Amino acid sequence: MTTTSTELQTQDLDFKVSYTPTEIKINNYDEMKRRIENYVDTYKGSVVTAQTVAGDKLVRQQMNKLSKALNDRRKEIKREYNKPLAAFENQIKEVDALIKSVIDPIDVGIKFVDDQEREARRLKVNDWIAEIAAKYELTPNDLDEFNDSWTNKTVTKKKVTEEIESLFMIKRKQLDQIVEYKMVVESYARANHQEPEAWVEFIDAGRTAAEVIKMIDQAVRAKHQRELADAERQRKAEEAAKAIAEMEAQQAQSKAVEVNDKHIDYETGEIIEPTPTVTETIPEVVDEAPKTIDLSLELTDVTSNQTYLLRDFLTDNQFKFTLTQK
């Protein structure tokens, strides 16, 4: 956009509007109103009858004529009265359109410059983000959100970098905690004869180590219940097979005859071998209360997150404990 060497001064465009109020007056207003009010009093609550209908019609005709004359004159005066107003409004709209044609391109130019400056500030903020990310061994992509207010012209570098530093500090702690959670879950899964990979995925999905440990415990208990159920089914199957074998042996003995100390099936002539007797000893199960002991465990170089994990694990598994920091 080009301008002349002389700056435009908006005060040179000042203007004044001349306006003289117009008086609109009904000359005999008070007298006319008084007479009409007399008619109002006369006909208030009146009833038209056969004797008064002719006079009533005449009064109605006169009132309608007066009402029409008043409103016709009102409309006529209003049209004349509005003519200078309409002309004035058209002039204002015409000039205002010219003014807008000056403002619009200036607005576009200002927005273009503002956008360029904001983008320059954004690039500078991105440099700050990369610098602070490296400090925490992270990348700019680890920043969860970019606050657009950081590119405001009025915001200071100190404020922006402090906010970025706080976000990366939180992110670093979150990632470190996830690593610790995974180590705890992996170790606990292996100790319970579980494949750790599947359980570690729950940490990536946002679960805490304490939550996953509870899930592992539930899985271990469910597996144990299945094993007990399988063992019970196997025991019953063996008992059934044993009973069937004994029953068949008894049936075979009932068909046998003894010849020279041998049992022979009199139907088939086969020698029947005696069924060996197996004596099964079932150990007695004594339901005793578990014995308890007191243990002392000393941990070194423990982080605060590991302390919370240990506390949650001991609490969830109903250990009685006291944590003391040296």
Side-chain angles (χ1 to χ4, degrees), residues 204-218:
D204 291 326
R207 299 293 186 94
T208 65
E211 291 173 337
V212 179
I213 286 173
K214 287 182 180 179
M215 296 166 65
I216 294 174
D217 289 340
Q218 292 173 355

Side-chain angles (χ1 to χ4, degrees), residues 6-19:
T6 304
E7 292 289 339
L8 290 175
Q9 301 295 325
T10 56
Q11 59 266 31
D12 296 338
L13 302 176
D14 193 15
F15 71 99
K16 291 182 174 57
V17 177
S18 298
Y19 170 66

Side-chain angles (χ1 to χ4, degrees), residues 256-265 270-274:
V257 293
E258 185 173 347
V259 178
N260 297 329
D261 297 330
K262 294 183 179 180
H263 292 82
I264 301 174
D265 190 324
E270 295 178 351
I271 298 175
I272 301 173
E273 299 293 339

Side-chain angles (χ1 to χ4, degrees), residues 75 81 89 100 106 124 135 158 175 190 201 210 214 222 230 250 267 292 306 311:
K75 294 176 183 178
Y81 187 87
E89 288 180 342
K100 195 171 186 307
I106 295 176
K124 186 176 296 184
K135 176 181 175 182
K158 182 176 182 294
L175 294 177
R190 292 186 187 280
E201 289 181 0
K214 287 182 180 179
D230 291 342
Q250 291 174 359
E267 293 181 349
T292 62
Q306 290 173 325
R311 182 198 62 190

Side-chain angles (χ1 to χ4, degrees), residues 104-136:
D104 286 349
I106 295 176
D107 283 345
V108 172
I110 291 175
K111 185 179 184 304
F112 177 77
V113 173
D114 287 344
D115 289 345
Q116 283 187 320
E117 293 178 350
R118 182 176 291 275
E119 183 59 26
R121 291 192 295 270
R122 179 182 295 275
L123 294 175
K124 186 176 296 184
V125 171
N126 285 337
D127 290 340
W128 299 339
I129 290 174
E131 180 181 345
I132 297 173
K135 176 181 175 182
Y136 289 93

